[in-house]
Amino acid sequence: MENVYFDNAATTKLDSRVLSKMMPYFESVYGNASAIYRLGRNAHSALEDSRKIVSEILGCNQDEIYFTSGGSESDNTAIRGIAYANKDKGRHIITSKIEHPAVLETCKSLSKEGFEISYVSVDENGFIDLNELQNLIREDTILISIMFANNEIGTIEPVKEIGKLAHEHNIYFHTDAVQAVGSVKIDVNDLNVDSLSLSAHKFNGPKGVGALYVRKGVKFNPLITGGHQEKKKRAGTENVAGIVGLAEALKLAYDELDENNERIIKLRDYYLDEIKKRIPYIKINGDLEKRLPGNTNISFRFIEGEGLLLNLDNKGICASSGSACTSGSLDPSHVLLAIGLSHEVAHGSLRVSIGKYNTKEEVDYLIDCLVEIVNRLRNMSPLYEEFLEGEK
Ligand SMILES: *Cc1c(COP(=O)(O)O)cnc(C)c1O
């Protein structure tokens, strides 16, 4: 098989229905949405129709949605924007140890600009420790930023409780919901969220376009200054085709949420069950209940994740490992270390993220390939040999 795609947490295939909706905004309605002639006005109304769709799905007002270039920009805008605009109230920010780099690196950068960052820990399933969070809160805490669902292990955080705690202390609550949007139902008011990031390419929309919800009344500075677009909060000629695609992808994701999730969860559980049956010495990472439908993360002991990925690639399978080696560093994932895995176990981890286009045949193929590859790699491993000796 070719291009058996199990890396849906990294990005997803564009839904062809989304592409069809986008095409007119490349080909005919190419006006600048700020222009006063009809070609511009038509682009502008597509923009506002898209904003309406997004706001209805998140349960907020249209003027609380800002379009951006993606999840990273949305996270940066929320965190930097709120930090800079509220620094007179305090300079303390709380986040977690398992955030995406878009949040972690932003906080790290702020820590060099006079802000102080606290990192709340997580338990072995990846849930943040609410007691510790409460204890970290100070007089000068202005922002709590905790992700909605983790991109590596799929654990869904107690967002509503975090928001409640934040609001009891008059602290803003930002959530990076890039992994959750499109597969989990979200109502920003019910969840006590003040700002939320999402990105179209994670739910079968186009790459390079995202949105940021910011509750009315929450002060934040723009990251990108220039023209008056997005209520002066995000300058730059709007990516109309991308935004139309984002809205359409979001609409389709929520119209078809239940049926897609049911199918995806079935495939996921089947995959996990078969691997448990057929491969010994594994550990399934992340919570099994409060989990993103498509996420699986398994540590295969005595195996290097990179070896696993290369062998899977030879079989046409795309997946992701539990270490950042592929991105040029030898450190195991900060998320897997935060849930308590040893370096060795973290290194042998494989994230298989299932999406709406995956089939049972593909999952069967993946399982057969994995069984063969894991056996072969283990048989070449001195660590495994030593371990078997010890077991005797
Ligand atoms: C993918 C991802 C991002 C980054 O989004 P981009 O649109 O790729 O910039 C941020 N946070 C999480 C949790 C993600 O999964």
Side-chain angles (χ1 to χ4, degrees):
M1 284 204 223
E2 225 177 282
N3 284 337
V4 183
Y5 190 74
F6 283 111
D7 203 12
N8 290 280
T11 194
T12 56
K13 183 178 181 213
L14 186 71
D15 189 312
S16 57
R17 295 170 294 178
V18 172
L19 181 61
S20 308
K21 280 271 179 179
M22 293 169 68
M23 284 313 281
Y25 298 92
F26 290 117
E27 291 180 323
S28 48
V29 195
Y30 48 78
N32 186 313
S34 304
I36 60 164
Y37 40 79
R38 182 175 301 137
L39 199 60
R41 291 201 308 273
N42 288 348
H44 185 262
S45 55
L47 199 60
E48 295 315 310
D49 290 347
S50 302
R51 205 183 306 280
K52 184 157 184 281
I53 291 170
V54 176
S55 66
E56 281 170 359
I57 289 171
L58 297 180
C60 64
N61 293 324
Q62 284 174 59
D63 60 0
E64 294 174 311
I65 297 294
Y66 303 85
F67 291 114
T68 68
S69 68
S72 300
E73 188 191 322
S74 292
D75 282 334
N76 270 265
T77 304
I79 296 169
R80 284 181 190 281
I82 291 175
Y84 295 147
N86 295 277
K87 65 176 191 291
D88 292 341
K89 284 200 265 174
R91 291 172 179 236
H92 182 235
I93 296 169
I94 305 173
T95 186
S96 83
K97 291 186 177 158
I98 61 164
E99 299 296 309
H100 187 275
V103 170
L104 281 182
E105 291 297 319
T106 303
C107 288
K108 195 170 148 196
S109 164
L110 284 172
S111 74
K112 293 174 186 152
E113 298 175 35
F115 290 88
E116 222 185 305
I117 319 291
S118 300
Y119 298 88
V120 64
S121 338
V122 296
D123 68 12
E124 69 277 11
N125 292 325
F127 291 117
I128 70 133
D129 184 334
L130 281 167
N131 281 325
E132 189 188 333
L133 176 63
Q134 178 144 28
N135 291 332
L136 287 172
I137 291 175
R138 314 192 315 211
E139 273 295 298
D140 61 341
T141 308
I142 50 172
L143 175 67
I144 294 175
S145 179
I146 308 271
M147 70 200 321
F148 201 114
N150 186 267
N151 46 303
E152 293 187 37
I153 57 174
T155 300
I156 298 175
E157 299 296 337
V159 175
K160 189 172 178 166
E161 288 72 24
I162 299 168
K164 186 165 170 278
L165 190 62
H167 289 173
E168 281 166 4
H169 293 83
N170 277 318
I171 299 166
Y172 292 136
F173 173 40
H174 170 68
T175 189
D176 172 348
V178 174
Q179 286 291 327
V181 170
S183 53
V184 179
K185 286 174 190 154
I186 292 176
D187 180 309
V188 289
N189 290 314
D190 178 53
L191 292 170
N192 308 312
V193 165
D194 295 309
S195 67
L196 177 145
S197 302
L198 61 93
S199 180
H201 75 100
K202 300 289 174 83
F203 47 85
N204 306 98
K207 291 169 187 52
V209 59
L212 174 65
Y213 154 77
V214 182
R215 183 182 297 281
K216 208 183 189 114
V218 175
K219 276 203 297 173
F220 73 104
N221 289 2
L223 193 68
I224 297 172
T225 48
H228 289 185
Q229 295 91 352
E230 301 297 301
K231 300 177 289 295
K232 296 193 192 171
K233 292 298 193 185
R234 203 284 185 179
T237 302
E238 300 88 342
N239 174 6
V240 179
I243 290 166
V244 166
L246 179 150
E248 179 68 9
L250 194 66
K251 184 178 173 298
L252 291 172
Y254 282 93
D255 283 350
E256 298 164 1
L257 187 93
D258 292 334
E259 54 189 281
N260 281 337
N261 281 354
E262 194 183 320
R263 272 194 58 245
I264 290 170
I265 288 172
K266 243 187 221 155
L267 289 178
R268 177 193 74 187
D269 291 346
Y270 171 69
Y271 165 73
L272 291 176
D273 286 345
E274 287 297 306
I275 294 297
K276 268 193 284 190
K277 264 189 252 166
R278 294 174 61 181
I279 307 181
Y281 314 121
I282 63 158
K283 181 182 178 299
I284 298 174
N285 301 311
D287 191 67
L288 291 177
E289 298 294 321
K290 289 176 182 154
R291 186 187 195 101
L292 290 172
N295 174 285
T296 71
N297 188 307
I298 303 179
S299 298
F300 298 88
R301 289 191 61 197
F302 319 109
I303 298 268
E304 289 285 327
E306 303 74 63
L308 211 48
L309 285 189
L310 290 175
N311 279 281
L312 285 171
D313 181 38
N314 279 337
K315 308 264 186 191
I317 297 172
C318 312
S320 174
S321 86
S323 76
C325 290
T326 37
S327 52
S329 131
L330 270 165
D331 296 335
S333 137
H334 65 290
V335 176
L336 298 178
L337 296 182
I339 62 170
L341 299 195
S342 67
H343 280 237
E344 187 231 314
V345 174
H347 264 306
S349 303
L350 181 74
R351 180 184 72 184
V352 164
S353 42
I354 300 168
K356 68 177 180 180
Y357 294 122
N358 287 123
T359 62
K360 169 90 167 19
E361 288 66 39
E362 288 177 326
V363 175
D364 277 321
Y365 177 67
L366 167 70
I367 295 165
D368 288 341
C369 290
L370 261 179
V371 170
E372 187 267 311
I373 294 166
V374 169
N375 278 331
R376 181 155 45 81
L377 292 179
R378 278 184 179 165
N379 286 334
M380 296 174 354
S381 157
L383 271 176
Y384 187 55
E385 205 177 321
E386 243 171 65
F387 170 80
L388 290 182
E389 285 296 312
E391 290 285 275
K392 278 183 193 161

